[in-house]
Amino acid sequence: MSCHNKVAIIFTGGTISMKIDPRIHAAIPALSSEEIMAMVTNIEKFAEIEIINFANLPSPHIAPEMMIDLAILVKETVKREDITGVVVTHGTDTLEETAYLLDLTVDSEKPIAVVGAMRNSSELGYDGSSNLSAAICTVISKNARNKGVLVVMNNEVNAASEVTKTNTLSLDTFKSPEFGPLGIVDNDEVIFYREIISKKHIETEKIETKVALIKCGPGMDSDIFDFYIDKNYKGIVIESLGRGNIPPTMVPGVKKSINKGIPVVMVSRCPTGRVLDTYGYEGGGKHLRDLGVIFGKNLPGQKARIKLMLILSVTNDLNRIKDLFEN
Ligand code: ASP
């Protein structure tokens, strides 16, 4: 059947490309993109598919430099006149980081969806083919235009800027705990319930990889900051306690980092809610704001890290960094 939609699918690997290796009884990347597409039956009724092979890696092997290379490829592909939309397959472990990086760096009206699978093709109930068909149906929809990068899993559509992996096993793992899904895929059609909350763009094709992520716990001290300063790190993200507070024993490390010109961005280890300068005690949000800590709103630490990595590739100016996180 002829159709006017052409969708480019960029394959990067992940469980969607895996099967169980009988020698080690564990899942490894093994399927070719053609083998995966052969399981997405009847898709030619919806779109002509162009396969682009980027990698076949588990997503813990995908480093930020590769995410940037992928972003450059997505930019080039989505610009093409013959392409209606782009789908990227990805392992679910770091899918939210890649999707968010694409969302921040690729400026296009055309729909872009990132998709994966929770069950590999040797398991009963492989979800790769249904997730892929839902992602393809999403990117051919006019309603999916101007929504930033989307994550399509388990028939739910979430914004890359809002979504996170919430469960290690469930097919229903990708959630936007703060705002809820953007929409659903029902009967091969995407239905949106709401608009995206915010869309930011960072114009860059580079990334600063030396950005640390520190999760706070009671009684933690400042040693780890000394390590990152010695190792010449360029930025630090702290996943703070609650509303945006840290143990007083971590304050010297924060001060020392800022004095060395290393921006410190704070988010919360709570799954929802933003950080704010509510508390005035030592290590409280007000104290940290006065020291020059930048507040990362309600981003999870792993996404704040990606954002800081991208920003640091274009500027070291603390006011600009602050502006990009806080406004
Ligand atoms: N460990 C796998 C990966 O991220 C998980 C998955 O794809 O679901 O590559």
Side-chain angles (χ1 to χ4, degrees):
M1 192 188 285
S2 68
C3 64
H4 306 293
N5 297 309
K6 186 167 182 184
V7 173
I9 309 186
I10 302 176
F11 288 83
T12 76
T15 294
I16 196 167
S17 305
M18 293 194 199
K19 59 182 176 194
I20 303 220
D21 182 330
R23 287 165 306 166
I24 55 170
H25 306 288
I28 52 163
L31 299 177
S32 69
S33 30
E34 287 77 14
E35 285 173 309
I36 298 168
M37 286 317 297
M39 291 187 271
V40 190
T41 47
N42 290 324
I43 202 63
E44 63 285 352
K45 294 181 183 160
F46 295 84
E48 183 191 340
I49 303 297
E50 177 175 322
I51 290 173
I52 301 176
N53 292 308
F54 177 79
N56 199 357
L57 291 172
S59 74
H61 293 200
I62 297 193
E65 297 96 322
M66 289 189 72
M67 295 177 186
I68 284 286
D69 289 344
L70 179 64
I72 294 167
L73 176 60
V74 171
K75 272 188 211 176
E76 283 166 5
T77 309
V78 82
K79 244 190 246 158
R80 278 171 41 193
E81 262 178 34
D82 61 326
I83 294 295
T84 312
V86 174
V87 171
V88 177
T89 71
H90 202 284
T92 60
D93 291 353
T94 65
L95 188 150
E96 67 193 88
E97 275 108 323
T98 293
Y100 188 46
L101 182 141
L102 295 176
D103 188 57
L104 288 171
T105 55
V106 183
D107 195 15
S108 172
E109 290 180 358
K110 290 186 193 171
I112 300 166
V114 187
V115 65
M118 290 301 288
R119 293 191 189 149
N120 69 68
S121 63
S122 308
E123 286 179 281
L124 288 176
Y126 172 63
D127 53 331
S129 33
S130 56
N131 285 342
L132 253 174
S133 57
I136 295 163
C137 290
T138 299
V139 301
I140 59 174
S141 167
K142 289 204 169 44
N143 297 337
R145 290 174 74 90
N146 281 314
K147 295 237 177 334
V149 172
L150 304 168
V151 172
V152 181
M153 292 280 291
N154 203 39
N155 284 323
E156 221 172 77
V157 181
N158 285 279
S161 54
E162 301 167 6
V163 77
T164 192
K165 185 175 181 179
T166 63
N167 187 286
T168 58
L169 169 72
S170 168
L171 304 191
D172 199 23
T173 179
F174 280 91
K175 294 283 166 204
S176 301
E178 195 84 48
F179 308 111
L182 290 182
I184 56 165
V185 181
D186 183 356
N187 200 24
D188 305 325
E189 194 191 344
V190 62
I191 301 165
F192 285 97
Y193 298 142
R194 66 170 176 88
E195 288 302 320
I196 44 173
I197 305 284
S198 79
K199 176 84 182 93
K200 288 249 162 28
H201 179 70
I202 301 169
E203 186 58 48
T204 184
E205 293 193 345
K206 289 188 287 187
I207 192 149
E208 173 53 67
T209 55
K210 291 195 92 71
V211 175
L213 176 58
I214 301 171
K215 186 170 190 143
C216 291
M220 279 174 64
D221 63 24
S222 291
D223 289 355
I224 194 74
F225 292 88
D226 288 329
F227 173 83
Y228 287 126
I229 292 166
D230 287 350
K231 292 280 178 195
N232 206 20
Y233 269 64
K234 301 289 188 277
I236 295 175
V237 175
I238 305 178
E239 263 188 29
S240 67
L241 309 171
R243 187 66 154 154
N245 312 303
I246 63 172
T249 36
M250 289 179 86
V251 170
V254 168
K255 272 189 193 162
K256 194 167 167 187
S257 306
I258 294 172
N259 287 341
K260 298 259 177 207
I262 302 169
V264 177
V265 174
M266 177 171 68
V267 293
S268 177
R269 69 177 196 176
C270 294
T272 53
R274 62 183 183 140
V275 288
L276 203 69
D277 51 359
T278 305
Y279 293 96
Y281 53 78
E282 193 180 1
K286 179 76 174 72
H287 181 209
L288 298 174
R289 175 151 268 166
D290 292 344
L291 292 177
V293 171
I294 294 164
F295 285 25
K297 290 191 181 161
N298 38 25
L299 284 174
Q302 63 271 25
K303 278 184 166 163
R305 176 171 169 265
I306 291 290
K307 188 171 180 180
L308 184 55
M309 286 172 139
L310 290 171
I311 296 172
L312 286 172
S313 78
V314 287
T315 185
N316 295 312
D317 184 287
L318 279 179
N319 287 328
R320 272 193 71 198
I321 300 170
K322 190 175 165 70
D323 185 53
L324 283 160
F325 271 102
E326 297 191 358
N327 298 318

